[in-house]
Amino acid sequence: MHNFIKQLLLFSLLCSFSVSSQWYETTGHAQTSNTSVELARTQAIENALKKALLVSGASVSSVQQVVNGLLTQDQISIRASGSVNSIELVDEVHTNNLITVTIRADILPQDKKCFAVNFKKSLLITRSHLLQREQANLGGIYLIEKAVVAKLAKRLNQQSTFTKTTTILNNKTDFSRLNNSLASDEITQLTQSLSDSTDSQYIMFSEITNLSFNEQATNSWLFWQQGVYPRNFAINFYLYNGLNGELVWQKSYQNTAPWTFTKRIKVDVYANPFWQSEYGVMIGNIIESVVKDIDENIMCEPSSGKIIQVKGNQVMINLGRDHGLKIGDEFSLLHLTNFTNSVGKSYAGFNVSPYKVKVTKLTRQTATATTADGRLFGNIQIDDLAVRYEN
């Protein structure tokens, strides 16, 4: 193997790591007729790296110099969600006056340094789980595990710029049990199963961890006489990527507010008196914070849809008018693949297809897209991805 290839294997560009990084395999080309092989190789690698960054959701402003055959720059300048954690040169082919290189790049999300694309990501919110059910006894507010996430979904659909939200509220998932058992593989399977069955790009789980009363009432003796006690509310949210089952974001929220209902009354957690009470307003403020946090995290993710049909030179994807697509929008196609690195570790990743498709037909939930030159697809198949990015 060429020394350059040996040296380049897994060469780190950025000294930061993330469990949610993703491998992309791309091919780049450069002419050798009017330049040296070394410079042409540099240009081909830059070309391939730029493609990998673009389909990961990044917009590249520069892919800088290679010195003595090695990428030495500490940072690649991009304006989006991606930066390069590591890179591997897989293959190098010389044909006539053309050099072709294939690289694998580990693209690392870069928090809050991204631009928002104009498409909405599909988000499925599942029923929450009350960890200590006996804490809901006072007021009989057992349905709060449905009411809170229903309110969150409604607020997201009213306010969110970047999500199209649906819910599953009548049935609980196994998430809380699996989370308590640290069964990460099973959570991945659950997430992917829900994603497949609902055509959702992201899945959100939550656990209500505290509905208890403080031992002492509010400081005022008058409050004590009236039986108004501070009640806690704490909830954990977990946002997963439906495609690979990876945890994208998680956060805990908690606060306390007076519980102004009498001890014997059963409180309707769907009714206005609850949501207009001090306790309900406190939960509503938490929901507003969650909406903001979801938007900030999802906006940085690339807009992608699954391919649900392949026919000749056209594909159908599970994104449509409701997600903000328009006739003429362009997508790159990614083929799901698995590979083993030089030390024998297995990875899942994407092979970036040379095909680009343009949307020609739309429904509310789907889009049909065709290749511009009428070329038939090679290895693209159902469940591969169509990814939209901005130049």
Side-chain angles (χ1 to χ4, degrees):
M1 184 182 290
H2 196 285
N3 285 337
F4 170 72
I5 299 177
K6 291 180 180 178
Q7 290 174 307
L8 189 57
L9 288 175
L10 300 180
F11 179 77
S12 178
L13 294 178
L14 291 178
C15 298
S16 55
F17 302 90
S18 168
V19 294
S20 57
S21 61
Q22 182 66 62
W23 285 93
Y24 294 84
E25 184 171 301
T26 55
T27 300
H29 310 276
Q31 294 288 332
T32 59
S33 53
N34 297 316
T35 188
S36 67
V37 171
E38 289 75 15
L39 182 57
R41 182 187 294 115
T42 297
Q43 293 169 346
I45 291 172
E46 290 178 351
N47 177 248
L49 184 55
K50 180 177 180 180
K51 292 177 184 177
L53 286 165
L54 286 172
V55 298
S56 72
S59 180
V60 182
S61 59
S62 65
V63 179
Q64 292 292 339
Q65 301 300 320
V66 175
V67 179
N68 296 327
L70 283 179
L71 291 163
T72 60
Q73 181 166 305
D74 290 331
Q75 185 171 350
I76 291 175
S77 177
I78 59 174
R79 60 175 185 93
S81 59
S83 54
V84 179
N85 183 31
S86 56
I87 184 172
E88 177 180 351
L89 184 59
V90 178
D91 194 21
E92 178 179 329
V93 177
H94 297 254
T95 306
N96 298 326
N97 293 323
L98 185 71
I99 182 172
T100 301
V101 300
T102 301
I103 68 165
R104 292 191 189 108
D106 189 16
I107 308 299
L108 181 73
Q110 191 171 1
D111 291 342
K112 297 179 177 60
K113 294 183 179 179
C114 66
F115 65 98
V117 295
N118 295 322
F119 293 165
K120 291 192 172 185
K121 286 81 173 178
S122 52
L123 169 66
L124 175 71
I125 299 181
T126 62
R127 179 172 174 168
S128 192
H129 180 70
L130 183 56
L131 292 186
Q132 300 180 70
R133 191 168 177 81
E134 69 278 3
Q135 290 182 346
N137 288 347
L138 191 56
I141 57 172
Y142 306 106
L143 291 181
I144 197 167
E145 58 188 12
K146 295 174 61 175
V148 167
V149 291
K151 180 74 74 171
L152 172 61
K154 183 178 180 180
R155 295 279 178 88
L156 280 167
N157 281 327
Q158 290 173 340
Q159 302 174 22
S160 173
T161 307
F162 307 106
T163 61
K164 177 184 178 295
T165 304
T166 56
T167 58
I168 294 180
L169 300 181
N170 290 331
N171 298 306
K172 289 185 179 181
T173 71
D174 288 331
F175 171 78
S176 193
R177 176 181 62 82
L178 298 173
N179 193 42
N180 185 58
S181 304
L182 302 178
S184 57
D185 290 343
E186 287 83 354
I187 291 175
T188 295
Q189 294 170 11
L190 172 63
T191 301
Q192 292 174 319
S193 175
L194 288 170
S195 173
D196 288 341
S197 62
T198 62
D199 278 338
S200 301
Q201 190 174 349
Y202 296 94
I203 310 295
M204 174 167 280
F205 304 103
S206 60
E207 296 174 324
I208 297 174
T209 60
N210 193 0
L211 291 178
S212 67
F213 284 84
N214 288 354
E215 292 183 1
Q216 294 184 353
T218 51
N219 293 330
S220 168
W221 177 249
L222 178 62
F223 279 141
W224 178 272
Q225 288 178 319
Q226 293 177 346
V228 177
Y229 288 80
R231 191 170 196 172
N232 300 298
F233 180 80
I235 187 168
N236 298 335
F237 284 98
Y238 308 84
L239 181 67
Y240 285 83
N241 185 318
L243 175 69
N244 53 28
E246 290 184 342
L247 181 63
V248 175
W249 166 81
Q250 72 176 87
K251 190 171 180 180
S252 299
Y253 302 82
Q254 60 183 7
N255 206 339
T256 303
W259 181 258
T260 54
F261 302 95
T262 60
K263 291 182 178 181
R264 293 178 178 84
I265 190 174
K266 183 176 181 180
V267 178
D268 183 354
V269 291
Y270 285 96
N272 285 335
F274 172 76
W275 289 104
Q276 291 171 359
S277 71
E278 292 183 68
Y279 190 75
V281 169
M282 177 268 291
I283 296 176
N285 290 335
I286 287 178
I287 289 174
E288 293 293 335
S289 297
V290 177
V291 170
K292 178 176 177 292
D293 289 342
I294 291 173
D295 256 6
E296 286 184 355
N297 284 274
I298 284 187
M299 68 180 285
C300 296
E301 298 293 322
S303 297
S304 62
K306 279 191 177 181
I307 295 174
I308 56 177
Q309 185 184 76
V310 181
K311 187 177 180 181
N313 74 320
Q314 72 178 26
V315 294
M316 182 179 291
I317 61 177
N318 63 350
L319 298 175
R321 193 178 296 111
D322 284 355
H323 303 89
L325 269 68
K326 303 182 296 297
I327 299 294
D329 284 334
E330 280 195 343
F331 285 81
S332 288
L333 303 184
L334 307 184
H335 178 60
L336 298 176
T337 184
N338 293 293
F339 67 91
T340 303
N341 70 1
S342 57
V343 295
K345 185 174 181 179
S346 181
Y347 290 93
F350 301 106
N351 188 310
V352 181
S353 166
Y355 307 106
K356 286 186 173 62
V357 293
K358 184 175 292 188
V359 173
T360 56
K361 297 178 184 177
L362 278 175
T363 68
R364 290 185 60 186
Q365 301 294 334
T366 66
T368 300
T370 60
T371 56
D373 54 8
R375 282 197 298 169
L376 301 180
F377 299 113
N379 61 350
I380 296 299
Q381 56 195 25
I382 291 173
D383 286 338
D384 284 343
L385 293 187
V387 176
R388 203 288 191 154
Y389 59 83
E390 293 195 3
N391 296 305

